[in-house]
């Protein structure tokens, strides 16, 4: 490390991200001058930076530090930032809302014990959500994936199998106009598109609508609270729900809104305050 | 040294002060600056930067980088 302390190094990705945020702040500051009555206002069109740095690779991550006084042999990094418009941002970034399974690969990798090396390789390939992992598993033959990336087929297959299991991340009770309750269940792989089996306290209940990320089910009148179970292709995920208080005084405080549960594999428990008393239109 | 964004705003203000010359037939609608730059790492991988602080290079100064800045101007 030639006498330089570890803290002088920073991850290149973090640096670029910080620069982007700094340029955004500069642009925001310049925008303020629009309101100061100047005859002309100025905005950043593009910014180029040329810096003398030393690079280092640690645990598969590129790091760098600025060159110090009298240091020779530094590398030069040239960065160009250009102003882009919102449509360009949208065109070039992943739309999380449209991802079939937006769970982060990082959290998922922890739950299925995906090793760091495989995780890093997937990250380099741009696979950052479980949805992207599934799509890659569908569209690229295993053999080709192994040949071109070196990803171990066995580990990848196990990860894909785990990614296909149903998961419940949140549940809410909503009230229809007539006061009858519906249970909204959110998660991943909640239906295979053919059959969706939801049980409350062991009894099957009506599934009003079913999508991979969300189910709407109608509990029976005697089912006021308890454990629900979603079964897809023999795999189970479960959670708990509780109906809102009927005949509550008008000024009575509403129960707090449910907190999203951390995504977990099948058979996990949900917070038991899964109800916000919302009225369906 | 100051955070890069403050240096950029200072430079842009400098350009603005040169071009705020009142109404006329011609106006400046763009400017490009290329300046030497001293940089070092700040908190959270941010970039602290300044223009070189003297005309004489000494052994205590970090090697200079370069900052190129293109600004576009318009009526608010």
């Amino acid at each position: 490390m030639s006498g330089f302390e570890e803290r002088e190094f920073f991850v290149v990705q973090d640096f670029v991200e910080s620069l982007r945020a700094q340029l955004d702040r500069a642009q925001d500051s310049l925008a303020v001058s629009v309101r100061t009555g100047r005859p002309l206002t100025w905005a950043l069109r593009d910014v180029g930076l040329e810096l003398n740095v030393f690079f280092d690779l640690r645990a598969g991550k590129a790091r760098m530090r600025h060159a110090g006084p009298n240091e020779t042999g530094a590398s030069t990094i040239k960065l160009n930032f250009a102003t882009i418009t919102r449509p360009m941002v949208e065109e070039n970034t992943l739309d999380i809302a449209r991802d079939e399974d937006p769970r982060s690969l990082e959290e998922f990798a922890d739950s299925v014990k995906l090793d760091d090396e495989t995780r890093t390789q997937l990250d380099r390939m741009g696979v950052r959500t479980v949805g992207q992992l599934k799509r890659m598993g569908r569209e690229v033959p295993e053999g080709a994936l192994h040949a071109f990336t070196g990803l171990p087929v066995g580990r990848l297959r196990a990860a894909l199998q785990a990614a296909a299991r149903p998961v419940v991340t949140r549940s809410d009770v909503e009230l229809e106009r007539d006061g009858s309750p519906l249970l909204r269940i959110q998660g991943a792989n909640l239906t295979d598109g053919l059959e969706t089996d939801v049980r409350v306290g062991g009894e099957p209940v009506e599934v009003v609508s079913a999508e991979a990320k969300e189910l709407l089910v109608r509990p029976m009148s005697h089912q006021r609270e308890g454990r629900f179970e979603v079964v897809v292709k023999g795999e189970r995920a479960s959670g708990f729900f509780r109906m809102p208080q009927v005949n509550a005084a008008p000024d009575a405080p509403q129960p707090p809104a449910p907190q999203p549960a951390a995504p977990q594999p099948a058979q996990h428990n949900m917070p038991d305050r899964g109800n916000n008393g919302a009225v369906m239109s | 040294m100051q955070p890069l964004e403050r240096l950029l705003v200072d430079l842009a203000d400098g350009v603005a002060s040169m071009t705020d010359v009142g109404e006329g037939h011609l106006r400046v609608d763009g400017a490009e600056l290329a300046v030497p730059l001293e940089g070092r790492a700040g908190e959270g991988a941010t970039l602290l930067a300044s223009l070189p602080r003297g005309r004489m290079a000494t052994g205590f100064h970090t090697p200079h980088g370069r900052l190129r800045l293109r600004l576009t101007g318009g009526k608010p």
Side-chain angles (χ1 to χ4, degrees):
Chain A
M1 213 46 60
S2 68
F4 284 91
E5 293 186 38
E6 266 298 293
R7 64 185 168 79
E8 292 191 49
F9 280 90
F10 42 87
V11 176
V12 176
Q13 196 178 346
D14 294 344
F15 178 63
V16 174
E17 193 56 37
S18 293
L19 273 180
R20 190 198 54 72
Q22 288 184 278
L23 295 178
D24 279 347
R25 283 199 290 273
Q27 195 78 288
D28 291 345
S29 298
L30 290 174
V32 172
S33 65
V34 171
R35 296 169 186 85
T36 61
R38 269 191 170 154
L40 278 179
T41 60
W42 293 88
L44 296 177
R45 187 167 162 198
D46 54 57
V47 174
L49 276 170
E50 190 177 310
L51 300 168
N52 298 296
V53 297
F54 285 92
F55 281 99
D56 173 62
L57 267 177
R58 178 68 56 93
K61 285 198 168 178
R63 308 185 314 161
M64 64 184 193
R65 67 169 175 79
H66 293 282
N70 284 332
E71 276 195 297
T72 54
S75 307
T76 303
I77 183 169
K78 293 182 181 179
L79 297 165
N80 283 305
F81 292 87
T83 309
I84 58 173
T85 58
R86 182 183 292 273
M88 289 160 79
V89 172
E90 287 166 357
E91 189 182 340
N92 288 289
T93 52
L94 173 70
D95 185 353
I96 295 289
R98 293 176 63 184
D99 195 318
E100 64 177 285
D101 191 343
R103 286 179 289 164
S104 88
L105 193 67
E106 203 167 334
E107 287 173 19
F108 170 75
D110 284 338
S111 67
V112 297
K113 297 183 173 52
L114 202 61
D115 63 291
D116 284 347
E117 194 183 340
T118 308
R119 196 184 309 193
T120 305
Q121 274 176 301
L122 288 170
D123 186 62
R124 280 184 198 150
M125 292 163 63
V127 179
R128 306 217 164 84
T129 68
V130 178
Q132 290 175 312
L133 177 69
K134 288 183 192 171
R135 194 160 65 240
M136 185 183 73
R138 273 198 309 269
E139 294 175 4
V140 186
E142 269 183 2
L145 204 55
H146 176 67
F148 289 107
T149 66
L151 276 174
V153 171
R155 281 183 213 158
L156 197 61
R157 192 180 297 149
L160 284 168
Q161 282 169 356
R165 288 183 202 128
V167 174
V168 172
T169 54
R170 181 186 173 116
S171 65
D172 300 279
V173 175
E174 297 177 353
L175 298 179
E176 289 190 286
R177 285 194 185 281
D178 63 1
S180 60
L182 289 174
L183 178 60
R184 187 181 295 278
I185 303 168
Q186 292 174 311
N189 307 311
L190 295 174
T191 179
D192 61 358
L194 300 172
E195 191 178 0
T196 306
D197 184 11
V198 182
R199 290 165 185 268
V200 174
E203 294 178 279
V205 293
E206 179 191 353
V207 177
V208 179
S209 71
E211 291 174 21
K213 288 196 277 192
E214 186 175 282
L215 299 176
L216 201 57
V217 302
R218 196 189 310 278
M220 287 183 279
S221 56
H222 65 279
Q223 295 169 328
R224 307 300 305 168
E225 63 181 30
R227 182 171 185 265
F228 64 83
E229 216 175 36
V230 181
V231 185
V232 182
K233 291 182 181 169
E235 300 278 0
R236 291 161 196 275
S238 63
F240 283 85
F241 77 103
R242 178 180 291 172
M243 292 295 169
Q245 294 292 324
V246 188
N247 300 329
D251 294 335
Q254 292 293 311
Q259 298 298 313
Q264 290 175 15
Q267 300 294 352
H268 77 289
N269 294 338
M270 291 290 293
D272 60 1
R273 284 188 172 270
N275 140 34
N276 59 9
V279 177
M280 295 273 292
S281 56
Chain B
M1 290 227 176
Q2 57 184 347
L4 175 70
E5 60 267 37
R6 281 179 49 194
L7 174 65
L8 291 173
V9 172
D10 286 350
L11 290 172
D13 280 344
V15 170
S17 65
M18 286 188 284
T19 55
D20 284 353
V21 289
E23 294 294 324
H25 292 295
L26 294 174
R27 66 180 177 88
V28 181
D29 64 358
E32 184 166 340
L33 288 176
V35 293
L37 183 79
E38 278 188 26
R40 69 176 165 84
E43 189 92 8
T46 54
L47 178 63
L48 301 179
S50 71
L51 300 182
R53 287 164 286 181
R55 294 176 62 187
M56 300 290 287
T58 73
F60 299 103
H61 288 158
T62 53
H64 294 164
R66 197 145 187 89
L67 170 68
R68 188 182 50 76
L69 180 64
R70 281 209 293 173
L71 294 157
T72 181
K75 287 198 179 255

